Amino acid sequence: MNVVLITIISLGALGTLSAIILYFVAQKFKVFEDPRIDQVEEVLPAANCGGCGFPGCRAFAEALVKADDISNLNCPVGGADTMSAAAGILGKEVAAAAPMVAVVRCNGTCDNRPKTSKYDGASSCTIASSLYGGETGCSYGCLGLGECVDACNFNAMYMDEKTGLPVIIEDNCVSCGACVTACPKNIIELRKKGPKSRRIYVSCVNKDKGAPAKKACSAACIGCGKCVKTCPFEAITLENNLAYIDYEKCKLCRKCVDVCPTNAITELNFPPKKPKVETAEAAE
Amino acid sequence: MLKTFSLGGVHPEENKFSAGKKIEVLPVPEQVSVPIAQHIGAPSEPVVKKGDEVKVGQLIAKSTGFVSANIHSPVSGKVLKIDDILDASGYKRKAIIINVEGDEWDETINRSDKLITEISLSPEEIVKKIGEAGIVGLGGATFPAHVKLSVPPGKKCDILILNAVECEPYLTADHQLMMQKGEEIMVGTQILMTALGVDKAVIGIENNKPDAIAHMSELAKKYNGITVESLKVQYPQGGEKQLIDACIKRQVPSGKLPIEVGAVVQNVGTTYAVYEAIQKNKPLFERVVTVTGKSVTKPSNFMTRVGTPISQLIEAAGGLPEDTGKVIGGGPMMGKALTSIDVPVTKGSSGILIMPEKIATRKPIENCIRCSKCVSVCPMGLSPYLLMTVSDKAIWDRAEEEKIMDCIECGSCSFTCPASRPLLDYIRLGKGKVGQIMRSRTK
Amino acid sequence: MNTLTVSPSPHVHSGDSVKKNMYGVILALLPALAASLYYFGLGALIVTLAAVISCVFFEWAIQKFLLKTQPSIIDGSAALTGLLLAFNLPTNMPIWIIIIGSLVAIGIGKMSFGGLGNNIFNPALVGRVFLLISFPVQMTSWPEQSKNLTSYLDATTGATPLSIMKEGLANGESVSTLMSKIPSVTELFVGNMGGSAGEIAAVALLVGLIFMLIRKIITWHIPVSVIGTIFVFSGLMHLANPEAYAGPLFHILTGGVMLGAIFMATDYVSSPMSKKGMIIFGIGIGFITVIIRVFGAYPEGVSFAILIMNGFVPLIDKYIKPKRFGEVVKTAGK
């Protein structure tokens, strides 16, 4: 009995003593921190994806608290709701940013783009692209090793087994841009999500002249310029044999989609159209 | 005990099928494509245009900086166009395409076989002429030769080392060149010694070429200051730093050039080209290329013009075998796999290796079992397993700390790894990234 | 023309594989297994089979049902763990205890860390030490040799040289009198003594070592530094007081030193990567072994020593780097 008593008393005393020491140490070394940082961090999505340009949500919260003008800061994951919540805590103004989404600008599926070699190295797009142009004749297109999918923290991408290309799940995409940075071929772009998620973009990054581009991939942009001439809003530019649609200017009229001879211009989430009258001629 | 380098090393199957095969002169092709970037450094600037008539040996592209090289026409004929062609890696590169008409050589080139031993030029003139002749390291690195011969101020060179190791399995181009052009190589060595102002030269040869060792030792007796060093067969002995260590037991410090320890290394093929440039006024437009492989019917050594499509060389060696899985430009350890056989021979093509599908395909990757074999074989004393991990996880500062930039990309680690892990693939990736970071820091 | 394969260099491989290395070690253990069968008979066979089969089974089951990955039991690493575990057990060990030991070795020692290549501690030793602490009676009653070739659980038991020494010294007897109760050095060398299944015959284990060195499965650094340290350290103590401390040959030939130094400490996964690190690791094992044997409560300390040093491996790897090329700077010699 005695032993138990001594044990309890000594251990209890030890515990109390430690608690007192800890309390004073904690008081002594307390670091002052703006309590608003915690509050702001609370409303952030805690994804730590770095899409805002800061190393994590905490760093972004600090930046929000520190900056006087936060209109150029944006959390792509949380979007407008999160930003206005954060701004509400801080009493600052936010600019409404248009929602963005990632698009894969390559349509070089296995059918469109015949393989000319077989890659047998480490499964990494960066390594493959530093070694050579890729398994197909197109040295600009998707390598299909899925580094973008690995980079995605939001389950918003997967590799389509059949086409060999990455697919973006729009609902999950928060436009953090991790895939854009991961892709060594710069195929993925963040574009304006558009009304009802309707978007039109050139699904090709091949800068070769028409003939070799077409030879390498039947869905390649051959730089014919038909879309440029057709566009009533001057939204399309042609550079290095490659058309690009400016999403700020594009009014989604879909005229360019119809004239593209290789179907390199992709439209998304539009209601089905009446069947085309004339089929696309093979461009030369 | 034969000499070799001090750390690591592996011994892959040698497979020197084409050893002892006399150098055959390949017929001039109908059309050549001469890439304007055949060397390390800035690409050359074409000085001919579409429709121009050119002669063999005429300058067609000018060097554009100190580290760059002239390019001379390998054939006579008419320039068809200057256009992008697919290079060995599937990317577009600019090349000068010439339609061949006859075989008319520039008059200044001495085409006789007579050996000229007398060296009439001063060191400065020699270096200048080597630069003009567009000579680059023919071992495969294609570093412009005149740059190596220009000793930076404040440094002193006391020995020339000739790389006749040919440590890459399969390749025999240098071996055969020594057997047939030994005398010329000796004179070439003398020229290089004059240019560097040194009185000692060592020719390092691995002892799997006893005939070459005997032949060169015999010839060396006639020339002052040249000795032949027989080395133990060990890959990568042909690496500059490893060769210096093996021959004269000096180790080049991390991040430094061989000149730091007073040595300059040149390949024997380069030395032969130097002889031809100085004594015969012949610029570099042809070279010896080994075409070999397990299923190749006629493994050979060809003397071939730069710009010849390699399909033609393969045809001359008996054609592409049925079971071909991979065509490699260079040796099996450091060579580059080609995407197509329509690419041209360049100054750096030491060999064309055709590998059957079975051996060409990599085995599936397994977990690292920490066997430390990669550490044991690394000739630079690095920890490949760690470098792969940090490169994969993109921890670049750690990679730099672990001296990732010291890696010579010899591939001994990937070759050895029991788990078939692509160590070098990742290390190369890391080297690229760390190199970028380091350069941006100095800027 | 068929499409060409493209990959980064190198394009050839040595042909070495994880499987080759694992089966190489298993092959190197066969002489010791033969010795064990010769001395212990049926018991050795049952214990070995039980451990190997249960280890392979647990690895397969965990990969298949828990991790839902492709089972990789073909690589031989689980069989090797089983073999090493069996070699560390007395040959009259009940099968149910062996199964528990295998489960701990594979489940906790290996798979909980992420499978082959990720475990910090040697799995077989994790299993053995777990059993040693949980079932001390069964783990320390060794059957006497040659008398029990056909008996298994009911074998008559005897003491090992190490326990004779430990108890004798504790009772105040001197080393010289104790040595007379212990088989001679030659007999110790060929394995004529009590002990765990695979640890007794030094000669068989050395044959395995030579085989592994020739096949380049391991390097000499760890075995030599472990055995050398034990020899020197115990030798010095013996010289200082020959009556209180047993001699160096006694120490290296008894108990698990040979098995531990050659097969357990050299386990790829749980040993350092650099040569210098391996030597430090080996010296550490040697010291701790002798300290536990001489001053600790247990008569044998090899298992604990290896496990303790396993814990230091990440630290050793962090600070001890291989010798780098170009560290010795020599400039142009005049």
Side-chain angles (χ1 to χ4, degrees):
Chain A
M1 202 54 222
N2 215 358
V3 179
V4 176
L5 214 64
I6 291 171
T7 315
I8 292 173
I9 291 170
S10 55
L11 280 179
L14 206 65
T16 321
L17 193 68
S18 312
I20 293 168
I21 293 171
L22 268 176
Y23 173 75
F24 280 108
V25 170
Q27 285 298 314
K28 175 104 180 134
F29 292 103
K30 198 170 183 180
V31 179
F32 174 75
E33 208 172 37
D34 197 326
R36 292 180 303 171
I37 296 177
D38 284 328
Q39 291 169 10
V40 174
E41 198 187 354
E42 199 75 357
V43 299
L44 293 178
N48 290 319
C49 64
C52 51
F54 292 90
C57 292
R58 176 107 196 145
F60 185 57
E62 278 168 23
L64 282 173
V65 170
K66 218 188 279 166
D68 291 326
D69 175 24
I70 60 168
S71 58
N72 56 346
L73 298 175
N74 182 35
C75 172
V77 180
D81 293 349
T82 303
M83 286 312 290
S84 55
I89 295 169
L90 300 169
K92 293 173 184 172
E93 289 289 317
V94 282
M100 307 283 271
V101 72
V103 295
V104 179
R105 290 183 297 163
C106 178
N107 199 17
T109 58
C110 300
D111 298 332
N112 290 340
R113 210 163 43 139
K115 287 201 173 181
T116 52
S117 67
K118 200 173 102 213
Y119 177 69
D120 187 33
S123 179
S124 148
C125 298
T126 319
I127 290 173
S129 77
S130 65
L131 176 72
Y132 83 128
E135 288 185 312
T136 66
C138 171
S139 58
Y140 300 91
C142 178
L143 294 162
L145 297 169
E147 210 152 289
C148 47
V149 176
D150 295 342
C152 184
N153 280 328
F154 301 93
N155 247 335
M157 293 186 95
Y158 67 92
M159 291 303 292
D160 190 328
E161 297 274 320
K162 227 168 77 204
T163 59
L165 294 173
V167 179
I168 288 160
I169 307 166
E170 262 171 54
D171 296 343
N172 291 358
C173 179
V174 296
S175 68
C176 67
C179 51
V180 178
T181 339
C183 180
K185 297 278 188 187
N186 290 320
I187 289 166
I188 305 175
E189 188 195 10
L190 292 181
R191 291 181 73 92
K192 209 160 74 176
K193 204 161 185 177
K196 292 185 192 157
S197 283
R198 288 176 184 176
R199 293 188 294 284
I200 296 178
Y201 59 94
V202 179
S203 186
C204 183
V205 289
N206 191 322
K207 292 183 180 130
D208 283 342
K209 287 184 194 131
K214 185 84 206 288
K215 196 181 156 208
C217 174
S218 62
C221 169
I222 54 172
C224 64
K226 278 187 185 165
C227 49
V228 180
K229 283 179 216 131
T230 312
C231 183
F233 308 104
E234 291 181 347
I236 307 181
T237 45
L238 189 69
E239 209 177 313
N240 291 328
N241 307 311
L242 179 63
Y244 177 78
I245 303 176
D246 186 340
Y247 52 78
E248 295 293 351
K249 291 183 189 161
C250 176
K251 300 275 194 288
L252 306 172
C253 70
R254 292 202 272 169
K255 286 197 176 118
C256 52
V257 181
D258 296 337
V259 296
C260 182
T262 54
N263 293 324
I265 300 179
T266 305
E267 51 169 43
L268 277 183
N269 304 325
F270 282 91
K273 232 184 307 190
K274 282 163 254 155
K276 267 193 215 173
V277 186
E278 52 177 342
T279 48
E281 298 149 50
E284 231 11 88
Chain B
M1 226 355 220
L2 284 167
K3 284 189 181 175
T4 187
F5 51 95
S6 26
L7 289 178
V10 290
H11 188 181
E13 264 183 77
E14 289 165 27
N15 292 326
K16 305 262 190 188
F17 302 122
S18 51
K21 298 271 162 59
K22 282 263 180 325
I23 299 171
E24 282 174 58
V25 178
L26 208 71
V28 183
E30 283 172 14
Q31 192 184 66
V32 292
S33 326
V34 187
I36 59 162
Q38 299 188 29
H39 45 261
I40 289 183
S44 319
E45 181 70 36
V47 293
V48 288
K49 52 184 192 305
K50 188 176 165 179
D52 280 4
E53 295 278 345
V54 291
K55 285 181 188 167
V56 179
Q58 185 185 328
L59 186 72
I60 53 172
K62 220 173 58 202
S63 105
T64 53
F66 183 56
V67 185
S68 183
N70 285 341
I71 294 169
H72 301 81
S73 176
V75 292
S76 63
K78 199 181 258 176
V79 178
L80 178 70
K81 56 181 174 179
I82 298 171
D83 199 7
D84 288 342
I85 59 159
L86 278 186
D87 75 347
S89 49
Y91 287 114
K92 302 261 176 346
R93 296 282 147 87
K94 205 169 256 179
I96 301 169
I97 298 157
I98 305 168
N99 269 339
V100 180
E101 289 159 16
D103 195 26
E104 194 187 330
W105 289 47
D106 199 291
E107 302 80 44
T108 52
I109 301 172
N110 176 355
R111 295 185 69 179
S112 79
D113 271 346
K114 203 169 147 273
L115 186 77
I116 306 170
T117 48
E118 196 131 326
I119 304 160
S120 53
L121 299 178
S122 73
E124 291 74 31
E125 285 169 332
I126 293 173
V127 175
K128 188 159 170 275
K129 194 147 187 195
I130 289 174
E132 277 167 11
I135 295 175
V136 300
L138 296 185
T142 64
F143 192 76
H146 63 277
V147 182
K148 262 202 213 171
L149 293 173
S150 316
V151 179
K155 300 275 188 301
K156 201 180 155 5
C157 173
D158 68 344
I159 190 163
L160 167 73
I161 296 173
L162 231 54
N163 186 349
V165 168
E166 206 153 49
C167 61
E168 277 274 8
Y170 293 93
L171 303 189
T172 57
D174 288 351
H175 180 190
Q176 205 49 40
L177 197 68
M178 281 191 281
M179 294 308 290
Q180 288 179 243
K181 305 280 182 192
E183 199 91 30
E184 283 86 345
I185 292 169
M186 287 293 164
V187 179
T189 312
Q190 296 267 306
I191 296 169
L192 290 172
M193 287 161 74
T194 318
L196 288 165
V198 299
D199 51 12
K200 265 188 303 183
V202 178
I203 305 179
I205 310 177
E206 282 190 346
N207 76 332
N208 55 357
K209 297 179 264 295
D211 50 345
I213 294 171
H215 181 61
M216 295 303 270
S217 308
E218 192 56 39
L219 290 174
K221 283 179 192 157
K222 284 190 277 176
Y223 296 88
N224 258 344
I226 303 181
T227 48
V228 173
E229 191 71 67
S230 160
L231 303 167
K232 190 181 157 209
V233 183
Q234 186 91 316
Y235 178 86
Q237 197 135 243
E240 227 172 31
K241 294 184 173 183
Q242 277 64 39
L243 185 63
I244 297 170
D245 184 25
C247 287
I248 57 172
K249 289 283 150 238
R250 293 181 197 162
Q251 294 198 348
V252 181
S254 163
K256 294 284 170 34
L257 295 169
I259 193 70
E260 200 73 19
V261 294
V264 166
V265 180
Q266 291 287 2
N267 175 271
V268 273
T270 318
T271 312
Y272 177 66
V274 164
Y275 165 83
E276 293 212 306
I278 303 296
Q279 308 294 64
K280 306 274 184 178
N281 204 27
K282 182 182 156 194
L284 179 65
F285 56 77
E286 57 181 4
R287 65 157 301 147
V288 183
V289 181
T290 303
V291 182
T292 181
K294 280 210 163 112
S295 346
V296 172
T297 41
K298 205 177 125 246
S300 323
N301 301 302
F302 293 121
M303 179 62 93
T304 173
R305 304 279 171 95
V306 167
T308 311
I310 64 161
S311 53
Q312 208 154 330
L313 277 75
I314 295 172
E315 214 46 57
L320 204 63
E322 274 290 293
D323 60 351
T324 301
K326 211 184 229 178
V327 179
I328 298 160
M333 295 298 285
M334 289 185 78
K336 215 167 160 13
L338 307 178
T339 45
S340 110
I341 56 167
D342 300 323
V343 296
V345 168
T346 63
K347 290 178 183 178
S349 320
S350 49
I352 293 160
L353 169 60
I354 298 160
M355 283 172 93
E357 197 143 16
K358 243 190 288 160
I359 29 177
T361 326
R362 291 190 181 185
K363 279 187 283 182
I365 302 167
E366 292 171 76
N367 273 4
C368 170
I369 52 165
R370 293 174 44 88
C371 67
S372 85
K373 286 185 183 179
C374 56
V375 179
S376 319
V377 299
C378 180
M380 297 307 288
L382 304 174
S383 306
Y385 76 100
L386 188 64
L387 294 178
M388 171 170 173
T389 313
V390 295
S391 296
D392 189 25
K393 294 195 170 19
I395 315 172
W396 307 125
D397 48 339
R398 183 80 194 279
E400 191 182 342
E401 246 169 67
E402 298 290 341
K403 301 270 178 209
I404 197 167
M405 296 310 284
D406 275 6
C407 171
I408 57 166
E409 304 185 18
C410 67
S412 299
C413 48
S414 300
F415 171 81
T416 306
C417 183
S420 309
R421 293 174 76 73
L423 292 151
L424 182 56
D425 295 11
Y426 281 93
I427 295 173
R428 221 185 259 124
L429 168 80
K431 261 184 89 175
K433 283 271 158 60
V434 172
Q436 258 174 30
I437 293 169
M438 287 170 80
R439 275 193 299 277
S440 70
R441 207 182 298 144
T442 53
K443 252 175 212 159
Chain C
M1 200 191 74
N2 39 357
T3 50
L4 297 174
T5 304
V6 177
S7 70
S9 64
H11 305 287
V12 280
H13 191 262
S14 58
D16 199 359
S17 69
V18 174
K19 229 161 124 180
K20 266 190 195 170
N21 283 294
M22 293 298 167
Y23 287 115
V25 179
I26 290 175
L27 221 58
L29 281 166
L30 290 185
L33 180 63
S36 176
L37 291 176
Y38 172 77
Y39 287 117
F40 296 115
L42 183 68
L45 187 69
I46 293 175
V47 168
T48 309
L49 282 179
V52 171
I53 293 171
S54 52
C55 275
V56 172
F57 170 77
F58 283 127
E59 173 139 329
W60 174 82
I62 290 173
Q63 286 182 329
K64 176 109 182 160
F65 299 111
L66 277 180
L67 304 175
K68 312 240 189 278
T69 51
Q70 189 64 33
S72 61
I73 49 165
I74 320 244
D75 68 19
S77 62
L80 180 58
T81 302
L83 202 55
L84 286 173
L85 177 65
F87 277 19
N88 275 299
L89 301 175
T91 53
N92 57 351
M93 194 53 118
I95 291 179
W96 63 274
I97 295 184
I98 299 176
I99 293 176
I100 293 174
S102 304
L103 180 62
V104 171
I106 294 291
I108 296 176
K110 186 175 171 190
M111 302 316 282
S112 68
F113 289 95
L116 181 63
N118 298 317
N119 46 297
I120 300 173
F121 300 103
N122 185 325
L125 285 180
V126 171
R128 175 195 140 91
V129 167
F130 178 84
L131 294 183
L132 182 61
I133 295 166
S134 313
F135 307 97
V137 178
Q138 288 90 333
M139 284 295 286
T140 50
S141 49
W142 290 275
E144 280 190 45
Q145 287 188 338
S146 310
K147 296 179 183 163
N148 311 300
L149 283 180
T150 51
S151 58
Y152 167 47
L153 287 178
D154 52 349
T156 49
T157 57
T160 65
L162 277 171
S163 54
I164 294 171
M165 183 65 75
K166 189 95 195 175
E167 276 163 34
L169 288 173
N171 293 336
E173 292 176 64
S174 74
V175 168
S176 48
T177 47
L178 287 168
M179 283 306 273
S180 59
K181 297 182 190 167
I182 292 166
S184 71
V185 169
T186 348
E187 281 180 84
L188 291 178
F189 188 66
V190 296
N192 196 0
M193 60 174 157
S196 298
E199 68 181 22
I200 42 163
V203 60
L205 294 164
L206 285 172
V207 168
L209 172 65
I210 292 164
F211 173 79
M212 289 201 292
L213 289 177
I214 292 172
R215 289 278 299 267
K216 294 201 173 140
I217 294 170
I218 58 165
T219 55
W220 57 268
H221 301 80
I222 294 176
V224 169
S225 57
V226 172
I227 297 169
T229 306
I230 292 177
F231 190 87
V232 171
F233 190 27
S234 61
L236 286 176
M237 292 206 295
H238 182 67
L239 282 181
N241 188 352
E243 284 308 302
Y245 302 113
L249 276 178
F250 169 80
H251 273 292
I252 62 171
L253 290 176
T254 55
V257 169
M258 285 291 169
L259 182 66
I262 298 171
F263 290 99
M264 313 294 276
T266 56
D267 170 44
Y268 284 153
V269 183
S270 52
S271 63
M273 298 294 275
S274 62
K275 302 280 176 283
K276 263 184 279 178
M278 287 180 187
I279 288 172
I280 292 172
F281 177 73
I283 291 174
I285 292 173
F287 264 106
I288 297 172
T289 302
V290 176
I291 287 169
I292 292 176
R293 279 186 177 185
V294 176
F295 305 108
Y298 282 95
E300 172 61 307
V302 177
S303 313
F304 293 107
I306 295 174
L307 285 176
I308 290 169
M309 288 313 289
N310 280 166
F312 280 100
V313 166
L315 203 65
I316 294 174
D317 276 343
K318 189 161 163 56
Y319 291 106
I320 311 294
K321 294 290 168 194
K323 193 175 145 206
R324 287 201 174 112
F325 186 90
E327 271 179 349
V328 204
V329 181
K330 259 198 247 170
T331 42
K334 294 286 133 49

